[in-house]
């Protein structure tokens, strides 16, 4: 512990608290139905919260702050497998020692949030760890933001300043870039910007077509060429999620991405990769590293698993003073956790072909193969994905049926979320804390639910 106030007494309390909290949290290690006497509490709190928010929730879910590994408890006492973890935030699993420690350490500090004007040690140390992790690429700087959307806005501003007046951007169909005024235009789904004025110029080209892999690159390059032919080269950059999260995990190959990035460089466009969802979840810390694309990346955005958000950029893209700033970097606890998470992941056996993430992916795919060729034959038309980003379809993969299925799955003890439209997929953003016995149980519940609903 190197931050905030320190003394032998604090250290002693710290050690005791850390142990007691972990021991208490570890009790939440199996699924269980709601307590009869607490059902009403959950229903009434959610109803009130829905009033406050002005809209309903998809799941009857309000967490109690208790949970361990893949398990999370709700305020009605029910415990479920959390396989979506806050849309991809808790990669390490609930009440991971790193989270507990980061919070306790932050409590010894004199502040809650760190910011840009008067710096603290935590953002400095996290930046060092992050820049070290990207040293094989041209990325040299990291700037904090308080959301993935704002990290993307920062990326766009940096690119615009460098390429002014070439403000037009190339993005991909089915992409998701966030909810800010700029990012709602980069995001492909028009339903997410209903009633909004068009604020930034973006053209969307097709992403990798996994149903026609032989022509995927040719078709994307053709669409890119057409843009330049029709509009002239008025573009600043190409932005892409290598693994499209909200689309249900659509991703291409190294050759596909290399072809696109070579095209971008040949036309003087910067390569901006959105890793807000994919960061830390594939076979390397960054998906661009997994695909061996280090030399092409000019700007990369991250969030979620890091517990903080931000933008990496090259020396060439370092913006002029005044362009990017803001009050907050993030909380002391999140900076602290971010540093420990990156170190833990890089020092542990998580990445590479023999790493834990690949092993987890293989186990899930083996179970899906078994189910889809036996008891659930014809009911799982698709399963796939990479690393801890896996998805599958059930029945006709319609939105209606998929929603019904997910709600039943929730009732039966597993939390997931959907992605994509026609087909709609059920998405897992898996925590690393899954043991074989958990995976067995998860697939028994999946099998039971598929047979109940489909
Ligand atoms: C690829 C991608 N980019 C950007 C964002 C936006 O991040 P945030 O919700 O933190 O603003 C998300 C969020 O899901 C995302 O998946």
């Amino acid at each position: 512990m190197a931050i905030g106030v320190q003394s032998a007494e604090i250290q002693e309390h710290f050690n005791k608290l850390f142990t007691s909290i972990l021991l208490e949290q570890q009790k939440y290690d199996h699924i269980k139905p709601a307590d009869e006497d607490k059902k009403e509490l959950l229903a009434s709190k959610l109803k009130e919260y829905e009033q406050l928010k002005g809209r309903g929730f998809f799941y009857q879910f309000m967490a109690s702050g208790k949970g361990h590994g893949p398990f999370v408890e709700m305020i009605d006492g029910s415990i479920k497998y959390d396989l979506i973890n806050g849309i991809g935030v808790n990669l390490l699993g609930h009440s991971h020692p790193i989270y507990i420690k980061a919070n306790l350490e932050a409590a010894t500090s004199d502040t809650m949030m760190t910011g840009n004007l008067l710096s603290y040690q935590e953002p400095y140390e996290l930046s060092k760890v992050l820049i070290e992790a990207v040293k094989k690429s041209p990325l040299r700087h990291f700037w904090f933001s308080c959301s993935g959307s704002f990290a993307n806005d920062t990326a766009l501003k940096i690119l615009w300043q460098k390429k002014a007046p070439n403000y037009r951007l190339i993005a991909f169909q089915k992409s998701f870039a966030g909810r800010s005024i700029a990012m709602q235009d980069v995001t492909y789904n028009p339903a997410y910007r209903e009633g909004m004025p068009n604020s930034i110029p973006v053209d969307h080209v097709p992403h990798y077509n996994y149903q026609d892999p032989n022509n995927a690159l040719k078709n994307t390059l053709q669409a890119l060429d057409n843009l330049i032919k029709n509009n002239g080269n008025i573009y600043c950059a190409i932005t892409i999620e290598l693994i499209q999260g909200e689309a249900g995990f659509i991703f291409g190959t190294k050759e596909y991405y290399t072809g696109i990035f070579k095209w971008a460089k040949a036309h003087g466009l910067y390569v901006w990769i959105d890793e807000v969802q994919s960061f830390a979840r594939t076979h390397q810390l960054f998906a661009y590293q997994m695909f061996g694309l280090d030399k092409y990346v000019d700007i990369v955005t991250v969030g979620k698993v890091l517990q903080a958000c931000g933008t990496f950029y090259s020396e060439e893209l370092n913006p002029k003073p005044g362009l990017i700033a803001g009050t907050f970097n993030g909380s002391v606890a999140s900076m602290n956790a971010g540093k420990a998470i990156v170190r833990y992941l890089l020092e542990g056996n998580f990445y590479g072909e023999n790493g834990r993430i690949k092993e987890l992916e293989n186990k899930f795919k083996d179970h899906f193969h078994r189910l889809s060729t036996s008891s659930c034959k014809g009911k799982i038309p698709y399963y796939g994905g990479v690393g801890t980003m896996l998805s599958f379809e059930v029945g006709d993969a319609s939105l209606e049926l998929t929603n019904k299925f997910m709600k039943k799955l929730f009732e039966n003890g597993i939390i997931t979320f959907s992605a994509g439209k026609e087909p709609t997929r059920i998405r897992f953003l898996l925590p690393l804390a899954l043991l074989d016995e958990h995976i067995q149980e998860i697939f028994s519940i999946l099998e039971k639910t598929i047979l109940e609903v489909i």
Side-chain angles (χ1 to χ4, degrees):
M1 191 171 62
I3 58 171
V5 285
Q6 290 168 54
S7 70
E9 193 185 347
I10 292 172
Q11 190 61 54
E12 192 186 329
H13 287 308
F14 181 100
N15 291 343
K16 279 191 187 150
L17 256 179
F18 174 77
T19 311
S20 308
I21 293 169
L22 190 55
L23 287 175
E24 277 306 308
Q25 291 283 20
Q26 278 176 347
K27 293 178 180 163
Y28 300 86
D29 67 348
H30 56 276
I31 58 171
K32 111 180 209 322
D35 299 330
E36 271 315 313
D37 58 334
K38 291 193 195 147
K39 277 186 179 165
E40 185 44 38
L41 175 77
L42 176 70
S44 65
K45 278 205 179 174
L46 272 180
K47 197 156 170 246
E48 204 182 332
Y49 193 13
E50 284 175 354
Q51 280 297 321
L52 296 170
K53 271 184 87 154
R55 93 160 66 147
F57 287 99
F58 184 76
Y59 288 126
Q60 289 288 294
F61 179 96
M62 191 180 272
S64 67
K66 297 167 195 151
H68 191 64
F71 301 102
V72 62
E73 193 208 50
M74 303 198 302
I75 59 170
D76 63 359
S78 64
I79 303 177
K80 297 184 191 294
Y81 277 105
D82 180 5
L83 302 188
I84 195 67
N85 46 90
I87 318 200
V89 175
N90 289 326
L91 175 67
L92 305 191
H94 291 267
S95 71
H96 191 280
I98 283 181
Y99 299 162
I100 300 175
K101 203 161 170 266
N103 275 319
L104 285 175
E105 284 180 354
T108 68
S109 181
D110 63 335
T111 194
M112 299 192 68
M113 300 289 281
T114 63
N116 284 307
L117 182 62
L118 303 173
S119 195
Y120 273 71
Q121 291 181 79
E122 294 78 28
Y124 152 68
E125 288 187 1
L126 175 53
S127 302
K128 262 203 318 195
V129 166
L130 288 170
I131 292 298
E132 174 68 19
V134 297
K135 65 176 182 223
K136 289 191 188 143
S137 75
L139 305 171
R140 290 292 171 269
H141 306 286
F142 184 77
W143 193 269
F144 288 102
S145 303
C146 284
S147 73
S149 304
F150 205 81
N152 280 341
D153 279 7
T154 298
L156 184 60
K157 283 174 52 168
I158 289 173
L159 291 162
W160 275 352
Q161 188 177 68
K162 190 76 190 171
K163 291 282 288 184
N166 285 359
Y167 295 131
R168 220 172 166 88
L169 181 68
I170 301 177
F172 284 77
Q173 291 169 9
K174 300 195 178 176
S175 62
F176 184 82
R179 304 280 184 168
S180 67
I181 289 173
M183 289 311 119
Q184 67 187 0
D185 284 329
V186 180
T187 294
Y188 186 62
N189 187 347
Y192 293 168
R193 52 175 174 271
E194 199 185 320
M196 299 289 102
N198 185 265
S199 45
I200 68 160
V202 187
D203 292 305
H204 292 89
V205 296
H207 203 289
Y208 186 77
N209 184 351
Y210 57 92
Q211 283 163 332
D212 186 12
N214 292 335
N215 293 309
L217 176 60
K218 195 180 81 190
N219 291 340
T220 302
L221 290 179
Q222 180 76 57
L224 290 167
D225 281 333
N226 285 344
L227 289 181
I228 303 267
K229 201 164 104 199
N230 296 337
N231 304 327
N233 194 348
I234 50 167
Y235 294 90
C236 58
I238 188 159
T239 177
I240 188 166
E241 292 164 88
L242 299 174
I243 299 150
Q244 289 191 309
E246 302 304 300
F249 305 140
I250 292 173
F251 60 100
T253 59
K254 177 176 179 162
E255 292 65 40
Y256 176 76
Y257 295 125
T258 307
I260 293 171
F261 296 163
K262 280 189 172 154
W263 179 95
K265 301 278 167 181
H267 290 82
L269 307 192
Y270 287 106
V271 171
W272 161 16
I273 300 190
D274 180 339
E275 296 236 24
V276 171
Q277 194 161 146
S278 58
F279 171 73
R281 288 199 163 274
T282 66
H283 306 160
Q284 294 294 336
L285 189 64
F286 294 82
Y288 82 75
Q289 294 172 338
M290 176 180 70
F291 288 111
L293 303 166
D294 301 61
K295 69 176 179 195
Y296 297 104
V297 300
D298 298 302
I299 194 154
V300 171
T301 46
V302 292
K304 296 195 187 257
V305 169
L306 189 62
Q307 312 300 310
C309 301
T311 311
F312 291 90
Y313 45 90
S314 63
E315 195 60 63
E316 188 179 322
L317 282 175
N318 201 352
K320 293 180 187 151
L323 187 75
I324 54 175
T327 305
F328 292 138
N329 291 146
S331 72
V332 177
S334 63
M335 298 284 124
N336 216 357
K339 181 181 79 177
I341 289 167
V342 173
R343 283 198 177 149
Y344 172 76
L345 290 172
L346 289 178
E347 287 166 18
N349 179 31
F350 292 105
Y351 296 119
E353 279 306 296
N354 300 316
R356 175 74 185 132
I357 290 185
K358 178 75 179 154
E359 186 187 29
L360 211 51
E361 172 189 331
N362 289 345
K363 286 187 181 191
F364 267 72
K365 286 184 176 169
D366 287 349
H367 275 284
F368 271 122
H369 177 72
R370 183 180 52 77
L371 275 195
S372 61
T373 50
S374 59
S375 59
C376 299
K377 202 166 177 183
K379 297 176 194 289
I380 309 175
Y382 168 88
Y383 63 88
V386 57
T388 56
M389 307 173 85
L390 303 178
S391 65
F392 64 105
E393 295 166 16
V394 289
D396 62 5
S398 63
L399 181 65
E400 200 189 354
L401 182 69
T402 308
N403 281 349
K404 186 173 158 204
F405 176 78
M406 284 192 304
K407 289 201 170 166
K408 191 73 191 168
L409 198 57
F410 182 81
E411 239 177 81
N412 289 343
I414 297 179
I415 313 172
T416 61
F417 201 51
S418 64
K421 222 173 84 183
E422 291 156 13
T424 305
R425 290 180 177 167
I426 298 138
R427 178 167 41 150
F428 291 144
L429 285 162
L430 298 177
L432 293 175
L434 285 165
L435 306 176
D436 282 354
E437 69 207 54
H438 301 143
I439 301 174
Q440 289 285 359
E441 188 175 29
I442 286 165
F443 276 88
S444 314
I445 298 171
L446 275 174
E447 181 179 28
K448 173 176 150 231
T449 313
I450 290 170
L451 296 178
E452 273 171 11
V453 179
I454 311 297

